[in-house]
Amino acid sequence: MTGAVQALIYALTRVLAFLLAGLLLGLLLGHITAGLLLALGCGLGWQLVNLYGLDGWLRARNRRAPPDLSGLWGEVVTNVVRLHRRKRFHKQRMLTVFRELRHSTAAMPDGVVVLNDNYEILWFNRMATRLLNLRRKVDVGLRITNLVRDPRFVRYLEAGDFHTSLEVPQATRDGLSLSFQLVPYGKQQCLMLVRDVSRQVALESMRQDFVANASHELRSPLTVITGYLETLVLDPQMDPALLGPLDEMRRQSDRMNQIVRDLLELSRLDAVTDEADFNPVDVPGLLRTLCGDLAVRPNTATVQLQLQSDAGLLGTETELHSVFANLLDNAAKYTPADGRITVIWSADSDGDAQLCVADTGPGIAAEHLPRLTERFYRVDAGRARSAGGTGLGLAIVKHALEHHGARLLIESQEGVGSRFICHFPVRRVLPDSLEGSIDTTTPAVAAGT
Ligand code: ADP
């Protein structure tokens, strides 16, 4: 029998005892109804006293011991005590978990800031206070861009693409370089991880300086060597037996010159932290010239230029020239003379523009594609070297495009050919100057062997 049933039986027995006592009293007095009413009144009074005691205890539960009640009231008190104990246990456990969480986030070497969907600060840990100079209480509720005002960070938030982190050199007043990574979670909330990357940035900058200085220092002696070699090769009194080796030396020194030029160009692009300029660049004109130059090269595949748009670009002309020239040069280097190179300049309906350089060359195996833009990465080192490649061309292309907020897509199939696509966002596109006068498929240049 459960405690509750026992208590019920006990309570019923007590009511019956009251009624019996009332009946006996009524018989004694000769007034049964009055006796019963008196007994019920006493029973009710007793319940009220118990209820009053219970209420008093509930109000001061933490200070007073539970009342010693029997029957159903005793059951109620036992249940309340049990509920209270369980609640206290869960509260204690929650507090422990919360305290541990706070300690672990405080001990984290990274700054953590919780933001709402409007990028307003909800919470931050101790490291965030140190890295971003946040102040507890004062800064909670403020928009993060009011406190981290670097334009690169503001652009990162606006773009909303949080797949990669953002590195901001010299982000704070005390010269710290920070890396920011946003992780959206839950109901439109965002976790912002902030890391001090000053050491990595300093090392990277040292590496860049070293490469730039070494390349710069190599340039002058190389120019002298190349000059002498050219003179020696052209000297009519030169021993014919030496002409072969001298010619090879001259080709190798030309290659070294090209490597130094590419390294210097990469160093220059590395050093630029701001976006490229927004100068108007006549892309159709540039492509016509480049394709024209390519077409007159000996042993080059047939080149076809399709200008499907008259749009220009807003950017830095030298960098865009370098991007287009590198892609066309690669297509020419790796496509056999009986192949075809197609260059297509077009604009999407949403205003973006793209340049596609397609060739019918040997193609590239899928496993190489993700690494093609790494410095000195070559699919076939021997073939690339004999074609005069430095392994730096696509790294320059990628950097220069990133500088313009553009992307490089590479599609290729072994034995079929490759397509290198530069995708420019609408803000970099200069709309058609001569609307309606678009020459759709301009076989502007057709050249070959
Ligand atoms: P390189 O100066 O050696 O051409 P790049 O950085 O321009 O260096 O290219 C990297 C590698 O990508 C090349 O060595 C080559 O193996 C491969 N590659 C680039 N363009 C093409 C292409 N159009 N067709 C086939 N392979 C290519």
Side-chain angles (χ1 to χ4, degrees):
M1 213 186 302
T2 62
V5 176
Q6 272 177 348
L8 183 67
I9 292 171
Y10 180 76
L12 286 174
T13 317
R14 190 178 280 180
V15 171
L16 278 177
F18 263 104
L19 287 176
L20 206 63
L23 189 69
L24 284 176
L25 191 69
L27 285 173
L28 273 177
L29 297 173
H31 219 298
I32 292 176
T33 320
L36 283 176
L37 276 176
L38 192 69
L40 283 175
C42 285
L44 196 63
W46 172 244
Q47 301 300 342
L48 282 176
V49 169
N50 280 345
L51 199 59
Y52 180 75
L54 185 67
D55 179 59
W57 170 68
L58 282 176
R59 283 173 199 280
R61 196 164 73 242
N62 294 330
R63 282 174 277 121
R64 270 165 54 177
D68 185 15
L69 298 176
S70 53
L72 271 179
W73 288 116
E75 261 319 284
V76 171
V77 170
T78 313
N79 281 333
V80 171
V81 168
R82 202 176 294 145
L83 274 175
H84 183 55
R85 227 180 263 148
R86 202 177 300 158
K87 193 185 111 191
R88 219 172 31 202
F89 170 74
H90 284 301
K91 194 171 153 189
Q92 200 57 43
R93 215 169 60 171
M94 286 263 297
L95 272 174
T96 314
V97 170
F98 184 67
R99 222 170 278 145
E100 274 170 13
L101 198 75
R102 240 186 27 199
H103 286 154
S104 58
T105 51
M108 265 172 78
D110 296 345
V112 181
V113 183
V114 178
L115 305 171
N116 65 10
D117 57 335
N118 207 18
Y119 300 132
E120 286 157 355
I121 300 174
L122 300 178
W123 178 86
F124 50 85
N125 71 348
R126 203 181 298 156
M127 199 56 177
T129 317
R130 206 167 73 71
L131 293 177
L132 300 174
N133 291 320
L134 299 181
R135 288 158 306 161
R136 229 160 250 299
K137 296 199 180 115
V138 182
D139 289 336
V140 170
L142 287 186
R143 216 164 181 266
I144 188 72
T145 43
N146 291 351
L147 301 161
V148 184
R149 290 164 182 267
D150 192 288
R152 288 163 288 186
F153 176 73
V154 176
R155 273 202 300 274
Y156 175 68
L157 280 196
E158 279 168 2
D161 178 9
F162 304 132
H163 289 104
T164 52
S165 57
L166 169 81
E167 225 165 70
V168 183
Q170 309 282 320
T172 63
R173 254 178 271 132
D174 26 349
L176 287 184
S177 300
L178 299 179
S179 146
F180 296 92
Q181 169 83 66
L182 263 84
V183 188
Y185 75 96
K187 284 188 182 158
Q188 295 171 323
Q189 285 191 345
C190 240
L191 203 63
M192 186 173 88
L193 303 173
V194 192
R195 187 169 298 166
D196 180 359
V197 288
S198 308
R199 212 175 116 71
Q200 289 94 312
V201 169
L203 282 173
E204 178 64 14
S205 141
M206 263 165 62
R207 186 190 65 78
Q208 285 172 7
D209 286 353
F210 170 76
V211 174
N213 290 338
S215 313
H216 201 74
E217 291 300 324
L218 280 173
R219 205 157 60 160
S220 312
L222 264 175
T223 314
V224 176
I225 293 171
T226 314
Y228 275 121
L229 284 172
E230 261 161 24
T231 320
L232 287 174
V233 168
L234 295 175
D235 187 352
Q237 287 162 11
M238 180 55 62
D239 181 353
L242 289 177
L243 278 179
L246 276 176
D247 205 38
E248 179 57 20
M249 283 164 79
R250 200 186 53 152
R251 280 203 302 117
Q252 291 302 332
S253 72
D254 281 347
R255 229 171 74 74
M256 281 163 79
N257 270 316
Q258 186 58 46
I259 292 177
V260 166
R261 267 199 300 274
D262 283 355
L263 279 174
L264 282 172
E265 170 75 358
L266 263 176
S267 303
R268 196 189 61 71
L269 285 168
D270 273 341
V272 184
T273 48
D274 293 337
E275 265 205 299
D277 300 332
F278 279 79
N279 297 330
V281 178
D282 172 18
V283 176
L286 192 60
L287 290 175
R288 273 195 200 100
T289 312
L290 286 172
C291 288
D293 292 348
L294 202 64
V296 293
R297 267 203 220 171
N299 293 325
T300 302
T302 307
V303 184
Q304 192 189 35
L305 172 65
Q306 296 182 15
L307 291 174
Q308 297 180 3
S309 164
D310 246 356
L313 283 175
L314 293 167
T316 307
E317 178 147 11
T318 47
E319 286 181 18
L320 292 173
H321 181 279
S322 168
V323 169
F324 301 163
N326 264 307
L327 292 180
L328 286 171
D329 187 51
N330 275 353
K333 268 190 315 204
Y334 300 109
T335 310
D338 58 352
R340 173 181 287 274
I341 299 168
T342 314
V343 182
I344 306 169
W345 174 241
S346 59
D348 300 350
S349 53
D350 49 5
D352 294 358
Q354 58 183 36
L355 173 78
C356 172
V357 179
D359 63 55
T360 57
I364 305 158
E367 73 257 27
H368 296 294
L369 294 181
R371 302 196 55 192
L372 278 192
T373 52
E374 286 175 20
R375 285 156 209 218
F376 294 113
Y377 188 85
R378 299 170 177 111
V379 176
D380 179 345
R383 184 195 283 177
R385 256 187 226 115
S386 63
T390 61
L392 293 168
L394 289 180
I396 294 177
V397 168
K398 183 183 163 217
H399 264 68
L401 286 179
E402 274 174 5
H403 198 193
H404 285 79
R407 279 179 300 131
L408 174 68
L409 304 172
I410 308 173
E411 295 166 3
S412 190
Q413 208 181 329
E414 264 186 302
V416 178
S418 314
R419 276 155 58 89
F420 290 80
I421 300 160
C422 309
H423 189 99
F424 293 92
V426 62
R427 66 195 173 87
R428 283 281 173 190
V429 180
L430 189 65
D432 295 5
S433 45
L434 300 162
E435 199 101 42
S437 67
I438 299 165
D439 181 1
T440 42
T441 53
T442 318
V445 214
T449 43

